[in-house]
Amino acid sequence: MTSENLNSVIATLERLYGTEKCGLNFKTPFELLIATILSAQCTDVRVNIVTADLFKTAETPKSILSLGQAQLKNMISSCGLANTKAKNIILTCEKLLTDFNGIVPRTMAELSSLPGVGRKTANVVMSNAFGIPAIAVDTHVFRVAKRIGLAQGDNVAIVEKELMAILPREIWSDAHHWLIWHGRKCCTARNPKCEICELKDFCQYIK
Ligand code: SF4
């Protein structure tokens, strides 16, 4: 992609989605960490419904642990994968208390040492809770970035590196949101709306 086309893609995405932010509701880094673990293979809307109740009852590692795994699993069951998510959340809360004094850490190495926390979740927490530039590559970012021609890699780790290389660091976190929203609203997995897409003049997929 030429630098002129790249600038046009960035400007268009910013114009379309510049006011969009993280779709998950949270008040603290810990709440965002738990919400992001719950969001695997689940919509942000569903996670927000579940966490609205959950965080009223338990909003710290200690209080989640005092619920116990069975009650936690019940409370998060509508998010899907409840067994795995409840187990990982309990283990993560234990590790936060044991190794991090109950405080969510800020680095990729520390965050990804928590059970159930991969690069995507760590990047979401770093960028949205701590304002650290990062590009979390989820299914929307992966698909849309590759279709437009911002990345070519065949796994999320490579696409993350490619996006960090091509996009200015100061827009990494925003670009993550822009690509997600473009994937939700226009560049859907099935039947992307290319005919009305404002990126169609620059997009590799349509060519
Ligand atoms: S032109 Fe089509 S494939 Fe390209 S970004 Fe737009 S919707 Fe996606």
Side-chain angles (χ1 to χ4, degrees), residues 99-185:
D99 296 358
F100 300 105
N101 206 20
I103 294 167
V104 176
R106 292 169 170 248
T107 68
M108 172 60 71
E110 290 170 317
L111 280 163
S112 53
S113 74
L114 299 168
V117 177
R119 280 194 75 84
K120 189 204 87 173
T121 299
N123 277 325
V124 168
V125 172
M126 284 164 58
S127 61
N128 292 292
F130 300 124
I132 298 166
I135 302 179
V137 179
D138 71 353
T139 181
H140 296 298
V141 175
F142 185 76
R143 178 183 71 256
V144 177
K146 287 186 52 144
R147 281 181 178 168
I148 295 172
L150 298 173
Q152 281 81 40
D154 53 15
N155 66 56
V156 292
I158 295 175
V159 167
E160 183 188 331
K161 278 190 188 145
E162 289 176 307
L163 289 174
M164 288 195 295
I166 198 172
L167 298 174
R169 182 180 164 84
E170 62 271 19
I171 67 159
W172 286 356
S173 300
D174 288 337
H176 156 79
H177 295 301
W178 302 340
L179 291 169
I180 286 179
W181 283 103
H182 193 60
R184 285 176 178 160
K185 293 184 174 178

Side-chain angles (χ1 to χ4, degrees), residues 22-39 47-48 50-61 63-64 89 92-93 96 102-104 111 121 124-125 128-130:
C22 180
L24 296 169
N25 295 337
F26 65 98
K27 294 190 297 295
T28 63
F30 178 72
E31 288 189 357
L32 178 59
L33 174 63
I34 299 305
T36 310
I37 292 173
L38 290 175
S39 72
V47 171
N48 288 338
V50 166
T51 56
D53 279 341
L54 175 64
F55 295 153
K56 262 186 230 157
T57 311
E59 58 180 352
T60 63
S63 55
I64 294 252
I89 289 170
T92 281
C93 290
L96 283 173
I103 294 167
V104 176
L111 280 163
T121 299
V124 168
V125 172
N128 292 292
F130 300 124

Side-chain angles (χ1 to χ4, degrees), residues 35 43 81 88 130 154 206:
T43 65
L81 306 173
N88 282 335
F130 300 124
D154 53 15
I206 202 166

Side-chain angles (χ1 to χ4, degrees), residues 144 147-148 182 186-187 192-194 197 199-200 203 205-206:
V144 177
R147 281 181 178 168
I148 295 172
H182 193 60
C186 185
C187 192
K193 303 175 181 70
C194 300
C197 179
L199 296 177
K200 66 183 173 197
C203 179
Y205 180 86
I206 202 166

